[in-house]
Amino acid sequence: MASLPTGESSTVVVVGSGLAGLRSAETLRTEGFRGRLVLVGAERHRPYDRPPLSKQYLAGTWGLDRLQLRSGEAFGALGLDLRLGVPAVACDPKLRTVDLADGETVGWDGLVVATGATPRTFVGIEGVPGVHVLRTVEDADRLAASLGRVVPGTVQAGAGGSPATGHRVVVIGAGFIGSEVAATARGLGASVIVVEPLAAPLARALGDQVGAVCGALHQEHDVDIRTGTGALALVLADGTRLALDAMAPVTRTAATAATVPRVAVVAVELSDETAVPADTVVVGVGVVPATGWLSGSGLEVRDGVVTDGTLHAADGIVVAGDIARWPVRDSGATVRLEHWTNASEQGVAAARSLLAGRGDASAFDPVPYVWSDQYDVKIQVIGVPSADDDLVVVDGDLASRRFVAVYGRQGAITGAVGFGRPRQLMTLRPLVERRATMSEAQSALSG
Ligand SMILES: Cc1cc2nc3c(=O)[nH]c(=O)nc-3n(C[C@H](O)[C@H](O)[C@H](O)COP(=O)(O)OP(=O)(O)OC[C@H]3O[C@@H](n4cnc5c(N)ncnc54)[C@H](O)[C@@H]3O)c2cc1C
């Protein structure tokens, strides 16, 4: 397809006003798109940052103003036609239209799909007082309130404030978000139990060995980590037992809230035949891509919207961020990442790709990067390691929890992880990029 017309008569619609949507809108402008640029967002807020929601914002040390991804002035300068608080409900690639929930139909010459992901929860527990997921600023506000009414922006970092002392938190799932919430809640003085069916926290992302280091980190902070253990049911104050046997994306609708009991959670039954008391339960069992509005569009949806190497899902349609599934260089496999840096880089790349047109666009071929802050440790990962890859520690040691380790398959590096070692980890970036050998990584850090 030819390049996208950039003149005033052209329209691009960006659906999704998160990081990927913002970066794509900015890039369209900086690369010369002068036409109508419509930003559609289900949330009523201007684009804001999610990583602090489980860290500084939940801890109360940052307020809402620090979450804004751009100042009002910089955002205004993009000259966007805003539809915030109005979700897209359908897309017709043939007619080149997007339908919005308020009944408006918007036509486009180019479309950016950047609707991110929605947390999963257990069927039947939405709206139970004390039970939380964490994706939006409203989720974080509710959770903060549950943790002893922490008011965002009012707690002094390092002041040793303990607004949640005596509060009992059960975190279901020890992925990145569950682990971070556990660390923050503990920092606020809560007593925290983390329940994880796998052998270690973060085991799915980082494997059992590195996961065990994360587990030890929690234990050092007096968090009770129950690995190899599932959550079977919630027990409510009136004795009702809600089984946790099916998962679905959160719906956030008033109808759902009205159908669940308004009685608070008091305990969680676990697969080890114990029941642990809980004032707050945080469900951190992953997310699903927000693709519902694309059903019937004809786009290929398979745990994300599937694109070609240039992030095109169809002529004139590009995809970016947590929702995008794209082919990995030379492998035949596709990948979908749920990380900040990917959403940012992909937003930029998708916009450039849209402007270039499908035939002339470049392939998106990044070295993925993700970080996680837990207690006083920054965990950083580059590449796309698999839990069952070989693991070699190339700097420091696991026991001290200050190390860099490389992951590899058939001798070639697939990724690397660092605990509190940013400079050393970044030394390996070019090696991950060219898929160097494991022994090259060892020599790079031993010199
Ligand atoms: C609590 C938390 C902590 C995190 N911490 C880290 C971290 O430490 N490091 C890291 O690398 N990553 C972290 N992440 C992940 C990172 O924030 C995400 O990868 C990133 O926000 C993805 O950006 P996105 O634009 O693709 O999606 P989103 O940020 O989800 O934005 C998508 C937007 O589209 C909207 N939308 C959905 N459906 C529709 C529709 N039909 N119509 C219109 N709009 C719609 C959504 O409401 C949302 O506003 C964290 C995420 C969370 C939730």
Side-chain angles (χ1 to χ4, degrees), residues 14-22 40-43 48-55 83 86-89 100 114-118 134-136 176-177 180-181 287 290-293 320-324 337-344 346 369-373:
V14 177
V15 184
S17 56
L19 177 63
L22 172 69
V40 179
E43 292 183 83
Y48 64 90
D49 216 10
R50 293 187 202 282
L53 296 180
S54 51
K55 310 175 184 76
R83 299 288 189 283
V86 188
V89 292
L100 308 187
T115 44
T118 309
L134 182 54
R135 182 79 191 178
T136 67
F176 281 113
I177 289 178
E180 290 184 355
V181 168
V287 296
T291 54
W293 66 285
D322 285 10
I323 191 173
L337 298 179
E338 296 163 0
H339 308 322
W340 194 97
T341 307
N342 179 64
S344 178
Q346 229 169 24
Y369 168 79
V370 57
W371 82 94
S372 175
D373 298 317

Side-chain angles (χ1 to χ4, degrees), residues 119-203:
R120 248 196 304 250
T121 189
F122 295 96
V123 174
I125 67 166
E126 267 185 81
V128 172
V131 178
H132 300 267
V133 293
L134 182 54
R135 182 79 191 178
T136 67
V137 70
E138 288 80 11
D139 293 339
D141 286 341
R142 278 188 291 268
L143 178 54
S146 192
L147 291 173
R149 310 218 158 270
V150 182
V151 180
T154 61
V155 178
Q156 297 219 318
S162 305
T165 300
H167 199 80
R168 295 161 306 181
V169 178
V170 174
V171 178
I172 302 178
F176 281 113
I177 289 178
S179 297
E180 290 184 355
V181 168
T184 302
R186 188 68 201 109
L188 290 167
S191 65
V192 181
I193 297 176
V194 179
V195 183
E196 167 57 56
L198 297 181
L202 291 173

Side-chain angles (χ1 to χ4, degrees), residues 333-357:
T334 59
V335 68
R336 188 178 69 75
L337 298 179
E338 296 163 0
H339 308 322
W340 194 97
T341 307
N342 179 64
S344 178
E345 293 179 351
Q346 229 169 24
V348 173
R352 289 189 177 141
S353 196
L354 184 67
L355 290 170

